[in-house]
Amino acid sequence: MGGVNRDARAIWIGDLARRSGFGTLDAFREAFDLREYRLTQLYRAAAKELRASLDEVTTLPKPLRSALAERGVALSCVEPVTIQRSRDRHTTKGLFRLHDGKEVEAVLMEHRGDRSTICISSQAGCAFACAFCSTGQAGFARSLRAVEIFDQARYFAREMRERGKRVTNVVFMGMGEPFHNYEAVMEATALLNDPNGFGLGHRHITISTVGLVDRIDEFAGEGLQVNLAISLHAPNDAVRSSIMPVNRKHGIAELMAACARYVDRTHRKVFFEYVMLAGVNDSDACARELAALMRGRLYHVNLIPYNATPDAPFAGSDDERIWRFAGILDGEGVPVTVRHNMGRDIAAACGQLRAQTQPKARKVS
Ligand code: SAH
């Protein structure tokens, strides 16, 4: 079984050649007379040694480094524009510029103990327009290439390494809908996972989706140990369609059937995200309805306190309501946790990523 085998090194080198203006990998190799081992050195310098620029790649002869640099070959394809740290210093948000001026944000969260999570973006903007999410409200610009996604993780992993620390988790929970950029996200996953490169175990990677049913089925067939999270946010179609337009295409019954197929096929747990919106989806009745969807299956609910976003007509449920809601799920035997929000003061929390300085993005209906 299993899906396509994606070769991380080939993905990375192919992207390097193309983004440097060489039509093919062969043209790139010929231009600099590059042997296989040189290509491997380049790849390792970026993926494993986390080098930011060619000058740091001392395994390559200086004349070759200069020749590459002269032709505009660069190790990184995202440029940090601003880096902000939260007051408690546990959260760092980066705004990155892509080659065409589009911008994305990524977030580093340093938890207590040795755990740290990088949250990366798969698209500049998002086409799904969830009513409570800042990215969705700003519209869609474009999908990222695998290496543009990977480079956000590389940036923060390097920063951590310089401080003698390690990145333990990567989540596709930044801007964009990962399953609306499926192949690039799978390639980015291969880049993150490659034992000869970045080397992050599949179990330490989580992909979060609004619930694109066909892609959930495709993902189930990949044979990966990567975690799947579903942004559910409501226990019935009336509420879900009112806050998530995607629900009008794939309703809850269809979505839950896809999740059941996923578990049957992979024997892996599915995580459900549920943002707590006062008076919208946080009643006791909603909790019981949600419990009925979850009960007896390999599912886990993660309640997310709502983070304020510009011009949204929502208020977050208060802590008491959140814990009562969690208590009902727990009482019905549904595994539930409440997400600890980080980085609100720098607008780095779930749903707050917007890349404020971005030229106004096109809105897609
Ligand atoms: N498009 C994917 C990836 C984004 S993940 C997805 O929807 O799953 C970001 C998570 O934060 C999603 O679960 C999203 O629904 C949630 N979120 C969005 N806006 C939020 C807000 N204002 N407060 C808290 N969580 C929010």
Side-chain angles (χ1 to χ4, degrees):
M1 282 198 320
V4 196
N5 237 336
R6 297 176 181 89
D7 178 346
R9 178 183 172 280
I11 290 164
W12 191 85
I13 294 168
D15 190 88
L16 180 71
R18 272 184 318 249
R19 72 175 187 254
S20 309
F22 299 89
T24 63
L25 178 56
D26 284 343
F28 175 62
R29 300 172 61 138
E30 265 163 44
F32 305 100
D33 192 20
L34 293 168
R35 307 280 170 76
E36 272 312 303
Y37 76 96
R38 288 283 182 224
L39 295 176
T40 301
Q41 283 173 326
L42 275 167
Y43 170 63
R44 289 185 54 153
K48 192 178 172 91
E49 294 153 22
L50 307 173
R51 306 283 180 216
S53 79
L54 279 169
D55 337 318
E56 302 163 36
V57 189
T58 47
T59 45
L60 298 180
K62 205 149 185 226
L64 175 57
R65 275 185 268 157
S66 315
L68 289 165
E70 256 163 49
R71 292 285 301 265
V73 178
L75 283 192
S76 175
C77 58
V78 305
E79 183 201 336
V81 181
T82 49
I83 305 296
Q84 286 171 276
R85 202 133 285 169
S86 65
R87 273 186 293 274
D88 66 12
R89 307 189 62 76
H90 288 294
T91 308
T92 313
K93 180 171 82 170
L95 173 70
F96 298 95
R97 186 171 294 138
L98 312 175
H99 70 89
D100 58 355
K102 297 283 187 286
E103 291 175 337
V104 294
E105 291 179 323
V107 181
L108 166 69
M109 286 159 283
E110 297 174 64
H111 313 286
R112 271 167 238 299
D114 277 340
R115 230 164 57 79
S116 64
T117 303
I118 301 178
C119 175
I120 52 181
S121 294
S122 58
Q123 301 182 310
C126 184
F128 288 84
C130 297
F132 46 82
C133 176
S134 180
T135 309
Q137 293 311 300
F140 178 68
R142 75 163 166 92
S143 280
L144 267 54
R145 304 193 317 277
V147 180
E148 292 174 320
I149 301 170
F150 180 52
D151 271 351
Q152 300 164 50
R154 248 172 29 86
Y155 177 87
F156 283 121
R158 175 166 58 248
E159 205 239 342
M160 288 289 277
R161 185 178 286 183
E162 281 161 7
R163 292 193 272 129
K165 294 186 177 170
R166 232 166 48 82
V167 171
T168 59
N169 298 80
V170 171
V171 297
F172 287 84
M173 295 190 184
M175 298 166 69
E177 166 50 39
F179 281 178
H180 186 219
N181 186 18
Y182 186 86
E183 186 50 33
V185 164
M186 288 304 121
E187 290 182 1
T189 300
L191 284 162
L192 291 168
N193 179 245
D194 183 9
N196 297 313
F198 197 85
L200 185 70
H202 276 154
R203 287 189 170 79
H204 298 271
I205 300 173
T206 300
I207 299 177
S208 178
T209 175
V210 291
L212 302 185
V213 165
D214 301 338
R215 295 289 86 79
I216 293 170
D217 284 327
E218 190 172 352
F219 182 63
E222 298 282 351
L224 300 176
Q225 308 274 6
V226 170
N227 301 305
L228 175 65
I230 306 285
S231 289
L232 188 61
H233 305 320
N236 60 58
D237 285 328
V239 177
R240 195 163 192 264
S241 293
S242 75
I243 52 178
M244 297 182 70
V246 69
N247 196 69
R248 288 176 219 140
K249 183 152 185 231
H250 304 292
I252 289 191
E254 198 190 337
L255 174 56
M256 295 312 297
C259 292
R261 285 193 296 275
Y262 172 88
V263 175
D264 286 345
R265 196 155 172 196
T266 65
H267 307 292
R268 293 190 60 76
K269 187 185 289 177
V270 178
F271 297 85
F272 290 89
E273 294 154 287
Y274 197 102
V275 58
M276 296 293 288
L277 304 170
V280 176
N281 63 357
D282 67 345
S283 65
D284 289 359
C286 280
R288 284 189 292 269
E289 226 178 323
L290 179 61
L293 292 177
M294 299 289 124
R295 211 176 6 238
R297 298 197 165 265
L298 199 51
Y299 294 160
H300 183 109
V301 175
N302 205 201
L303 299 179
I304 315 178
Y306 170 70
N307 299 306
T309 67
D311 33 79
F314 299 107
S317 316
D318 57 32
D319 284 356
E320 198 188 323
R321 182 91 300 269
I322 294 175
W323 289 105
R324 184 175 160 81
F325 196 96
I328 293 173
L329 289 169
D330 184 59
E332 304 245 5
V334 176
V336 56
T337 45
V338 177
R339 184 175 288 176
H340 172 61
N341 275 304
M342 299 177 74
R344 278 181 179 169
D345 59 321
I346 53 168
C350 308
Q352 294 185 316
L353 301 185
R354 189 170 201 158
Q356 305 270 3
T357 64
Q358 184 154 303
K360 192 146 180 58
R362 188 161 51 97
K363 192 141 190 167
V364 167
S365 58

